[in-house]
Amino acid sequence: MSTGSPAVRLCHLYPDHLNIYADRGNIAVFRRRLEWRGLELDVAEVGLGDPIPADCHLYYLGGGQDRDQLLVAEDLAGKADPLRLAADDGAVVLGVCGGYQLLGHGYAAADGRTMPGIGLLDLETTAGDSRLIGDVVLDVTLDGQTRTVVGYENHAGRTHLGGGCTPLGRLRRGHGNNGSDGCEGAVAGRRMGTYLHGPLMPKNPWLADILLGWALDYAGHPVELAPLDNHLEQSAHAVAATRAGKRR
Ligand code: GLN
């Protein structure tokens, strides 16, 4: 079943550079969860030097190591205005790991080099002298619902939030934003950033549907997303949560 026209248009930023943690897997989940409801996803891939399409509903920035982030940071800074316009208009913006850091005000890498962020999230990141690695479990409240979200983290950056955003969730397991304040990720309206990858969406169908719901709402098609059989996804979620529990 298909509506014939894409319900959600997703802009995938720098798929050739920020993609180390199966970011395409997250996008595949968005696509399938829409298709299972008879809806379509259209993906615009945007690389270095490409213009930002103004008509997307969800802007996605994936993960990368410091060297990959350095390659895109200046180019991304040049795209800040159209991205801010879209976000201010209500588009969904999701940054994962390296992409999360670049949604903030800037990132100071381990070798001392600094790179600009685009300031869509009020946060700052500085690399520490160790990496924060492992399974993560957190409690997340969005749209009045609270769920457990699971994932994997691997980052040197320590991220500290300013007053303009709130943490995505409170940690049960893992290091999160900075290894010290018990928080993971950031949210401001429909802008979201997280260190969780692995990828994130296959194990967290609830979160995927929240983001799709926001994108559909912005697209002018607010729909009650039909429930799906998530038992495989919930099994993956349970395995990750159990593994995280054993690491302590
Ligand atoms: N380069 C960043 C860091 O190590 C982000 C890493 C990543 O995307 N995994 O903090």
Side-chain angles (χ1 to χ4, degrees):
M1 180 169 68
S2 162
T3 58
S5 66
V8 172
R9 279 191 295 276
L10 182 149
C11 173
H12 187 184
L13 284 146
Y14 309 113
D16 296 334
H17 294 92
L18 299 181
N19 59 10
I20 54 168
Y21 291 117
D23 294 289
R24 288 181 197 277
N26 284 334
I27 292 169
V29 168
F30 288 139
R31 183 187 301 285
R32 291 298 284 151
R33 294 189 74 78
L34 284 173
E35 286 174 355
W36 283 327
R37 275 99 168 206
L39 301 167
E40 286 183 16
L41 180 78
D42 191 37
V43 178
E45 298 200 341
V46 168
L48 293 173
D50 295 338
I52 291 287
D55 60 349
C56 288
H57 311 118
L58 201 171
Y59 293 81
Y60 183 94
L61 201 52
Q65 296 299 353
D66 293 7
R67 62 177 177 277
D68 305 308
Q69 290 172 273
L70 267 169
L71 287 172
V72 306
E74 289 295 339
D75 187 85
L76 180 65
K79 294 172 166 49
D81 286 347
L83 285 169
R84 184 170 301 106
L85 272 179
D88 286 350
D89 197 41
V92 183
V93 181
L94 175 63
V96 174
C97 212
Y100 169 37
Q101 296 169 346
L102 294 179
L103 288 182
H105 300 301
Y107 174 47
D111 64 2
R113 282 188 284 189
T114 58
M115 43 195 116
I118 56 173
L120 289 191
L121 288 170
D122 181 18
L123 52 90
E124 201 73 67
T125 305
T126 303
D129 52 14
S130 62
R131 296 192 74 78
L132 304 178
I133 301 174
D135 293 288
V136 184
V137 182
L138 60 152
D139 291 323
V140 174
T141 301
L142 293 168
D143 290 353
Q145 309 163 38
T146 301
R147 295 283 191 287
T148 296
V149 167
V150 297
Y152 194 83
E153 62 182 332
N154 182 351
H155 53 106
R158 270 63 168 172
T159 296
H160 292 273
L161 309 193
C165 56
T166 54
L168 172 62
R170 301 285 315 173
L171 289 165
R172 290 174 180 238
R173 295 280 187 271
H175 306 285
N177 281 337
N178 47 55
S180 58
D181 68 8
C183 293
E184 204 295 310
V187 183
R190 291 176 179 163
R191 307 168 191 197
M192 183 184 293
T194 177
Y195 276 114
L196 301 190
H197 47 67
L200 173 65
M201 296 305 158
K203 298 186 206 105
N204 296 290
W206 169 77
L207 185 60
D209 280 356
I210 291 270
L211 292 163
L212 289 175
W214 291 353
L216 285 162
D217 185 54
Y218 177 58
H221 308 294
V223 290
E224 191 74 28
L225 284 171
L228 298 174
D229 174 2
N230 288 329
H231 82 272
L232 270 180
E233 292 84 347
Q234 294 303 353
S235 300
H237 183 109
V239 167
T242 304
R243 200 172 54 206
K246 286 184 179 151
R247 282 181 174 243
R248 276 250 168 118

